[in-house]
Amino acid sequence: MGGSKNTLRMRMLKTYQGVIYSLVLVFSSIQLNAQPDGAAIFKQYCKACHSEGTDKTVGPGLKDVTTKRTKEWLKKWIKSSTELINSGDADAKKIFDEYNGLVMPDQNISDAEMDALIGYLEKLAKAEESTTPEASVVSPTTPKKKNTGNGILLLIFIAFILLGIILFLWNKFRRVQDKPSLTKAYEDQELQFKSFAGRHRKWFIFGGLFVLLFGMKTCWDAAFMVGVSQGYQPIQPIAFSHSVHAGQNQISCRYCHASAFKGKVAGIPSGNVCMNCHKYVKKGTRTGTEEIAKIYKAMDYDPQTGEYGPNPKPIEWVRVHNLPDLSYFNHAQHVVAGNVDCSKCHGEVQKMDTVFQYAPLTMAWCINCHRETEVPGMKTNPYYENLHKGLSGKYPGKKITVELMGGLDCSKCHY
């Protein structure tokens, strides 16, 4: 009986093994039969140095390469351009000389991937150049203009009311002059008003005080808003989109504003920083060549020859964030020492097409931040680490904020 059970178990085990083996074969055959994606291969191996069009970047554009070179030649070049150049191939040597001895690295890809890549390049050569309709071009976000239509209508309405009151009073004045008998009636009305005001003196005093206090409060609030530019969104000379650069392309803030991590000011990148990318990226995702052409003009750069002229000019960017001269603010102190994220003061810049002032940047706003922001122990900075340990011992169980570290001392910002 025991032997028959063992035999049955062995048969079941072999059956399961057979099923698993069959599934492995099926999935393996599917994987083996899967065709490589030429577009994905191009993106992985070629896109960093070559465009899909005819524009030169680090290397030539590959749109027409299959019409200029044979498939066999392309395979040799992709496999080892150095070996093809050393073999004495005329076309390979010509490319080598044209790009000043710049050699393409050997690409370790299979024959199937190479065939898929060349097939993709052949499709590019056959495809007609697509042109984006003018209507479909997405323009960068422009500063939102306040809706002043209702305000203008209100001012016109008030002006008409005031004009009507002036005409009414002028007409009454003339009638009094023309008819002296009416003077007595107006004098009687004046006496009646004085009598009414005398009987309700408390209400008139209360109403007058209310109007006075309301006016003073309005003037007080308005005075506190002097110099506050929250929401300020100027139009820049070039429609630079942070949502494309910092958001879509995920370029770090540090790449363009390196000074923010080293000193007082964040700094505005020069045109040379723009050209690090736009020497090769000649067409924007939203504005085409229009805005990038403004960079070339400022830098006196010819994208056709790749040469700079003798008359570059700085790009006159409009400053968005501006603190009064009586205040001292150091970016590195906050970004590096304080580990404050850029969005704390500037908002989600990666979602902005045109940057605007996100925070009020008032004294009250800064003081409130110093009172609430906790400062963690900074083992990378011995000064703050020792200070943090001392305060932790002095205030056990209490959150160590910038305020406790002297962040509300007047001389810190007003020296």
Side-chain angles (χ1 to χ4, degrees):
M1 187 72 178
S4 61
K5 285 185 178 180
N6 289 333
T7 304
L8 181 60
R9 286 174 184 171
M10 289 297 294
R11 287 179 180 176
M12 291 177 66
L13 182 60
K14 288 182 179 180
T15 304
Y16 290 144
Q17 287 176 343
V19 171
I20 294 170
Y21 182 69
S22 301
L23 289 173
V24 170
L25 286 177
V26 169
F27 284 111
S28 298
S29 63
I30 291 173
Q31 184 66 27
L32 289 171
N33 292 329
Q35 295 297 322
D37 185 358
I41 296 168
F42 177 87
K43 187 175 181 180
Q44 181 178 354
Y45 292 99
C46 311
K47 194 173 181 63
C49 299
H50 301 278
S51 71
E52 295 176 329
T54 56
D55 294 333
K56 290 182 179 180
T57 54
V58 178
L62 299 182
K63 183 176 185 297
D64 300 325
V65 69
T66 54
T67 61
K68 298 176 181 177
R69 307 280 184 261
T70 64
K71 191 173 183 178
E72 290 71 22
W73 189 94
L74 288 172
K75 284 186 175 182
K76 291 178 182 178
W77 178 264
I78 294 169
K79 187 176 181 180
S80 177
S81 60
T82 306
E83 190 175 314
L84 189 61
I85 293 166
N86 292 336
S87 69
D89 184 271
D91 289 337
K93 291 181 68 176
K94 184 179 178 182
I95 295 172
F96 179 77
D97 294 336
E98 183 180 351
Y99 286 87
N100 300 318
L102 185 64
V103 180
M104 188 182 85
D106 297 348
Q107 304 298 320
N108 185 23
I109 62 177
S110 65
D111 290 339
E113 289 176 324
M114 209 176 294
D115 289 333
L117 173 60
I118 294 172
Y120 176 70
L121 296 176
E122 288 174 345
K123 289 180 181 178
L124 289 179
K126 293 176 183 177
E128 293 182 0
E129 254 185 52
S130 60
T131 55
T132 306
E134 191 69 24
S136 66
V137 176
V138 181
S139 61
T141 303
T142 54
K144 294 180 179 179
K145 296 182 179 179
K146 294 181 179 179
N147 185 9
T148 57
N150 294 335
I152 293 172
L153 290 175
L154 181 62
L155 288 174
I156 294 173
F157 178 72
I158 293 172
F160 270 111
I161 291 177
L162 291 175
L163 181 61
I165 292 172
I166 292 170
L167 291 175
F168 174 78
L169 293 175
W170 177 254
N171 185 46
K172 289 292 183 182
F173 177 73
R174 289 187 61 185
R175 286 177 64 186
V176 169
Q177 283 187 327
D178 294 341
K179 298 179 180 180
S181 58
L182 292 175
T183 305
K184 181 70 170 59
Y186 281 105
E187 288 177 351
D188 292 341
Q189 289 179 4
E190 185 178 356
L191 289 172
Q192 290 176 7
F193 176 77
K194 289 182 179 179
S195 175
F196 176 81
R199 292 196 305 271
H200 301 86
R201 184 179 301 174
K202 292 181 180 179
W203 290 105
F204 273 91
I205 293 173
F206 176 78
L209 286 173
F210 176 79
V211 172
L212 179 63
L213 292 174
F214 180 78
M216 289 175 65
K217 177 65 167 60
T218 302
C219 293
W220 183 266
D221 292 340
F224 269 101
M225 293 305 294
V226 173
V228 178
S229 303
Q230 187 176 16
Y232 176 56
Q233 190 180 39
I235 298 175
Q236 300 292 351
I238 298 176
F240 177 90
S241 173
H242 276 79
S243 66
V244 171
H245 292 77
Q248 182 179 326
N249 295 324
Q250 298 183 351
I251 298 174
S252 171
C253 302
R254 181 175 292 199
Y255 185 77
C256 297
H257 303 287
S259 302
F261 299 82
K262 298 179 180 179
K264 180 177 181 290
V265 297
I268 299 296
S270 65
N272 292 329
V273 176
C274 304
M275 289 302 295
N276 286 341
C277 294
H278 288 293
K279 189 174 181 180
Y280 309 112
V281 180
K282 301 177 181 179
K283 188 174 182 180
T285 56
R286 298 186 179 180
T287 57
T289 59
E290 181 180 357
E291 298 302 322
I292 295 176
K294 295 177 183 178
I295 303 174
Y296 295 157
K297 183 178 179 181
M299 297 300 296
D300 196 13
Y301 174 77
D302 186 346
Q304 301 300 324
T305 62
E307 296 179 355
Y308 291 92
N311 299 309
K313 297 179 181 178
I315 301 170
E316 297 181 358
W317 300 105
V318 181
R319 186 167 187 168
V320 179
H321 304 84
N322 190 21
L323 292 177
D325 294 337
L326 54 87
S327 300
Y328 175 81
F329 178 86
N330 190 301
H331 273 85
Q333 179 70 18
H334 289 75
V335 177
V336 180
N339 199 28
V340 177
D341 189 79
C342 300
S343 62
K344 179 77 173 180
C345 302
H346 297 290
E348 294 182 313
V349 175
Q350 69 274 16
K351 296 182 180 179
M352 300 179 191
D353 276 332
T354 304
V355 168
F356 62 90
Q357 183 174 318
Y358 166 77
L361 303 182
T362 59
M363 180 175 175
W365 183 81
C366 294
I367 288 175
N368 187 58
C369 183
H370 282 193
R371 284 174 174 162
E372 293 180 349
T373 304
E374 183 177 6
V375 180
M378 288 175 275
K379 295 182 179 179
T380 56
N381 191 317
Y383 172 80
Y384 284 103
E385 181 65 19
N386 294 331
L387 182 60
H388 193 278
K389 285 181 180 178
L391 290 171
S392 298
K394 187 177 180 180
Y395 303 100
K398 190 172 182 179
K399 184 171 69 171
I400 307 302
T401 62
V402 180
E403 178 183 10
L404 292 179
M405 285 191 166
L408 296 191
D409 187 348
C410 299
S411 62
K412 289 285 194 277
C413 304
H414 309 289
Y415 54 93

